[in-house]
Amino acid sequence: MESNSFFLQRAVARGADWHVSYLALCMASSTDPVDERRKQIVVAAADDNSVRMAFFSSLGAILDFQASWSEMDVATRGWLNFTTRWNRWWLPDVAALASIERHANAPTDVRFAAGRSSARIAPGVAPSDTDAFRRYLDTIEQHYRRDESISRTLFLPDAAFHIQSRSPAP
């Protein structure tokens, strides 16, 4: 599949620091109750000049892709249209959705970082601003940490029980 070669050349595989920071996001695409069809999760930010996408795959990989719209040829946009159709997308706001829709297709499964109040949490995340993008990822990570099936796995409530049961009686 030649259409994804630009993506593969530009995507950066993120290491342990991202995996540790985004444990719940890494788990979300492989947890049935969260993503019923086990979709890959794409956290993206876009404006009229560029797009940035972090892919959290069900295989555990985190790929960080960034490019300007003008760099993308027809084959790359075809690949992007495929990803907007088959993955779960998180966006900071409606403006990012409009940018993606202008340059590709609007995602069919889209969520916003904080619903109607996303402007307060992730106002216009610039794709090139790594610090703002990481804060935006932190917001989405918190969303998935609140999911019962993920938090139960991440925080092992049984471990707290075992610690308490070993305490000496008063």
Side-chain angles (χ1 to χ4, degrees):
M1 183 174 194
E2 212 170 291
S3 63
N4 66 0
S5 63
F6 179 75
F7 169 76
L8 293 174
Q9 291 169 2
R10 296 290 292 271
V12 175
R14 293 299 178 181
D17 62 323
W18 280 50
H19 284 271
V20 169
S21 296
Y22 308 115
L23 288 170
L25 261 166
C26 290
M27 289 181 65
S29 62
S30 61
T31 304
D32 285 329
V34 175
D35 287 315
E36 57 285 347
R37 289 175 281 173
R38 294 186 180 205
K39 292 181 176 185
Q40 178 170 264
I41 294 174
V42 180
V43 179
D47 58 25
D48 287 332
N49 298 314
S50 61
V51 63
R52 182 169 190 175
M53 302 174 279
F55 292 81
F56 293 84
S57 82
S58 59
L59 301 174
I62 302 174
L63 299 176
D64 187 10
F65 172 83
Q66 187 173 357
S68 69
W69 294 114
S70 62
E71 293 177 283
M72 294 185 198
D73 61 13
V74 172
T76 303
R77 288 178 194 258
W79 167 83
L80 182 58
N81 288 336
F82 173 82
T83 66
T84 60
R85 182 177 183 98
W86 296 105
N87 296 307
R88 170 156 295 157
W89 282 66
W90 281 88
L91 297 170
D93 52 32
V94 175
L97 176 62
S99 293
I100 292 171
E101 191 170 20
R102 270 192 296 283
H103 298 283
N105 286 334
T108 56
D109 184 350
V110 66
R111 307 286 197 287
F112 291 101
R116 297 175 190 259
S117 62
S118 64
R120 289 182 287 134
I121 293 174
V125 176
S128 59
D129 185 344
T130 297
D131 290 337
F133 192 75
R134 292 289 301 263
R135 288 190 301 273
Y136 164 49
L137 284 169
D138 291 342
T139 300
I140 298 165
E141 171 71 10
Q142 290 306 311
H143 166 80
Y144 282 113
R145 283 181 181 234
R146 287 188 295 268
D147 180 88
E148 183 180 337
S149 61
I150 290 176
S151 64
R152 190 176 335 118
T153 302
L154 284 178
F155 304 116
L156 300 171
D158 291 339
F161 173 75
H162 291 299
I163 291 169
Q164 290 173 352
S165 66
R166 292 183 191 163
S167 300

